[in-house]
């Protein structure tokens, strides 16, 4: 698979700190910030329309929740339940304070429900044989009617992991109607910049493909920030998942590095994406949100060619 990516437009998201997730539902873009207590609603032209409180915090005084206190909401996906449209906002699981998730019911006046994900993240740690805090790092969430996908971002040059769940079982667990859903794990390698390998940061699924964002960050754990060396957009053919089931032989993800219009490396940290289907067979439009680890957020419109 050959990929090409061109940034068509860049815009600052002035009133949204540390963007970490994006979804599109019924004419609105919803953007999440990993150190903000709000869910932001944007219009078709990416103008800020409203912000909705997710939880109370007295720490959001200077425009960001301090790192030690934030729930680190890193991913978001659109689910339906009956006739309701819902968003699931998921913490990274990298520390005890980050084991939370939030259901937002768009069909019921943005009603918010907090969910404790501690048991679920302990389950994922057992699959990965993680025993210490700061190693699990769930950064991507995507769903369709059949499967739900969670992406674990690795540290250093270890394999990144894609967890797959039956969507019905996953929703029933979150809503308290069933036990832990069965999980299948798949292992992937992403490109590197120098000695630093890229790690998953976002996901979107459609038409048998999982579109992913990934970034390269010079850090030794899932909590501390490091220098951002570049970001990638990639595509996983979901029919190829059986070839990625061996942890000792991870599958390489076809991915292309994001560059500015002048050809220089784009140094923002790509955090999440949505993808619109192509007007022809191989050109897609991706909307990507990025974070500079200083509280700034940017939105990129990217043309992605897949051959």
């Amino acid at each position: 698979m050959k990929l090409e990516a061109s940034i068509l437009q860049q815009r600052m998201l002035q009133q949204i700190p540390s963007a970490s997730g994006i979804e599109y539902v019924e004419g609105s873009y919803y953007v999440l910030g990993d150190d903000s207590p709000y869910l932001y609603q944007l219009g078709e032209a990416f103008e800020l329309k409203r912000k909705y409180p997710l939880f109370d915090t007295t720490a959001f005084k200077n425009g960001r929740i301090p790192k030690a206190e934030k729930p680190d909401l890193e991913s978001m996906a659109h689910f339906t339940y009956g006739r309701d449209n819902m968003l699931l906002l998921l913490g990274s699981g990298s520390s005890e304070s980050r084991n939370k998730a939030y259901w937002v019911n768009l069909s019921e006046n943005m009603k918010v429900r907090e969910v404790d994900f501690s048991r679920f993240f302990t389950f994922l740690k057992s699959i990965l044989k993680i025993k210490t805090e700061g190693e699990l790092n769930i950064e991507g969430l995507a769903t369709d009617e059949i499967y739900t996908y969670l992406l674990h971002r690795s540290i250093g040059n270890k394999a990144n992991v894609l967890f797959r769940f039956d969507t019905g079982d996953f929703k029933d667990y979150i809503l308290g109607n069933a036990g832990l859903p069965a999980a299948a794990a798949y292992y992937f390698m992403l490109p590197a910049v120098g000695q630093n390998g890229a790690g998953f940061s976002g996901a979107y699924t459609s038409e048998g493909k999982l579109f992913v964002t990934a970034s390269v960050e010079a850090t030794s754990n899932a909590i501390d920030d490091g220098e951002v060396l570049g970001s990638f957009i990639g595509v996983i053919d979901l029919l190829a998942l059986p070839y990625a089931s061996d942890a000792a032989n991870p599958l390489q993800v076809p991915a292309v590095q994001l560059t500015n219009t002048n050809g220089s490396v784009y140094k923002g940290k790509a955090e999440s994406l949505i993808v619109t289907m192509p007007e022809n067979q191989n050109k897609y439009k991706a909307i990507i949100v990025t974070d500079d680890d200083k509280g700034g957020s940017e939105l990129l419109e990217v043309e992605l060619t897949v051959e």
Side-chain angles (χ1 to χ4, degrees):
M1 188 183 297
K2 181 182 177 182
L3 307 181
E4 294 181 2
S6 302
I7 296 177
L8 303 177
Q9 193 164 13
Q10 301 172 233
R11 68 187 76 214
M12 297 301 297
L13 297 174
Q14 297 288 355
Q15 301 179 63
I16 303 176
S18 308
S20 59
I22 185 170
E23 259 292 3
Y24 180 80
V25 184
E26 295 187 338
S28 290
Y29 296 93
Y30 293 91
V31 176
L32 182 65
D34 70 11
D35 51 18
S36 170
Y38 297 104
L39 176 66
Y40 300 88
Q41 181 184 12
L42 280 62
E44 293 277 11
F46 307 113
E47 75 281 10
L48 180 61
K49 296 174 69 175
R50 290 191 63 180
K51 61 181 183 180
Y52 301 92
L54 299 168
F55 51 87
D56 293 327
T57 178
T58 58
F60 192 67
K61 294 178 178 178
N62 298 313
R64 302 173 72 189
I65 303 172
K67 182 182 292 291
E69 300 178 37
K70 69 179 184 179
D72 198 33
L73 300 175
E74 287 285 0
S75 55
M76 174 169 56
H78 171 226
F79 289 81
T80 57
Y81 197 79
R83 295 182 178 181
D84 289 351
N85 283 310
M86 307 182 78
L87 294 174
L88 177 64
L89 289 50
L90 190 59
S92 64
S94 57
S95 69
E96 185 175 348
S97 64
R98 302 176 178 192
N99 287 344
K100 296 177 182 177
Y102 295 88
W103 271 119
V104 180
N105 193 327
L106 306 182
S107 303
E108 196 174 328
N109 297 317
M110 305 298 289
K111 182 179 179 181
V112 178
R113 174 184 171 187
E114 183 178 305
V115 182
D116 183 358
F117 253 55
S118 299
R119 183 180 176 219
F120 182 82
F121 286 142
T122 298
F123 170 53
L124 298 188
K125 287 178 184 178
S126 70
I127 295 173
L128 298 178
K129 298 181 173 57
I130 290 176
K131 296 182 179 180
T132 59
E133 190 172 89
E135 289 189 38
L136 183 69
N137 192 9
I138 300 301
E139 292 270 341
L141 171 65
T143 188
D144 58 33
E145 292 182 356
I146 301 174
Y147 293 117
T148 293
Y149 306 92
L150 266 67
L151 302 186
H152 163 69
R153 177 186 177 89
S154 71
I155 300 298
N157 292 302
K158 297 179 182 178
N160 291 260
V161 184
L162 184 158
F163 293 103
R164 189 183 72 180
F165 307 86
D166 177 270
T167 292
D169 293 345
F170 185 79
K171 286 194 290 188
D172 284 342
Y173 171 72
I174 296 170
L175 292 167
N177 300 327
L180 286 165
Y186 303 98
Y187 303 86
F188 293 91
M189 293 302 293
L190 288 153
V193 176
Q195 300 300 311
N196 296 280
F200 284 143
S201 62
Y204 185 86
T205 183
S206 185
E207 294 189 336
K209 297 180 178 67
L210 189 71
F211 299 86
V212 300
T213 49
S215 59
V216 183
E217 192 173 3
T219 183
S220 60
N221 59 64
I223 298 176
D224 295 325
D225 296 324
E227 181 186 0
V228 179
L229 304 175
S231 289
F232 292 82
I233 183 170
V235 181
I236 296 172
D237 182 351
L238 293 173
L239 292 177
L241 289 188
Y243 300 102
S245 57
D246 183 0
N249 294 286
L251 194 64
Q252 187 71 33
V253 177
V256 60
Q257 190 167 17
L258 295 174
T259 57
N260 296 305
T261 53
N262 63 4
S264 61
V265 172
Y266 177 76
K267 288 295 187 74
K269 185 164 67 173
E271 289 279 359
S272 183
L273 81 166
I274 58 172
V275 177
T276 58
M277 292 303 98
E279 294 182 2
N280 57 39
Q281 291 185 340
N282 63 346
K283 287 189 183 295
Y284 299 80
K285 183 178 179 181
I287 307 298
I288 298 174
V289 289
T290 74
D291 169 15
D292 65 3
D293 280 338
K294 301 175 182 178
S297 302
E298 195 170 18
L299 185 143
L300 310 179
E301 296 180 59
V302 176
E303 182 179 79
L304 176 66
T305 303
V306 182
E307 296 179 345

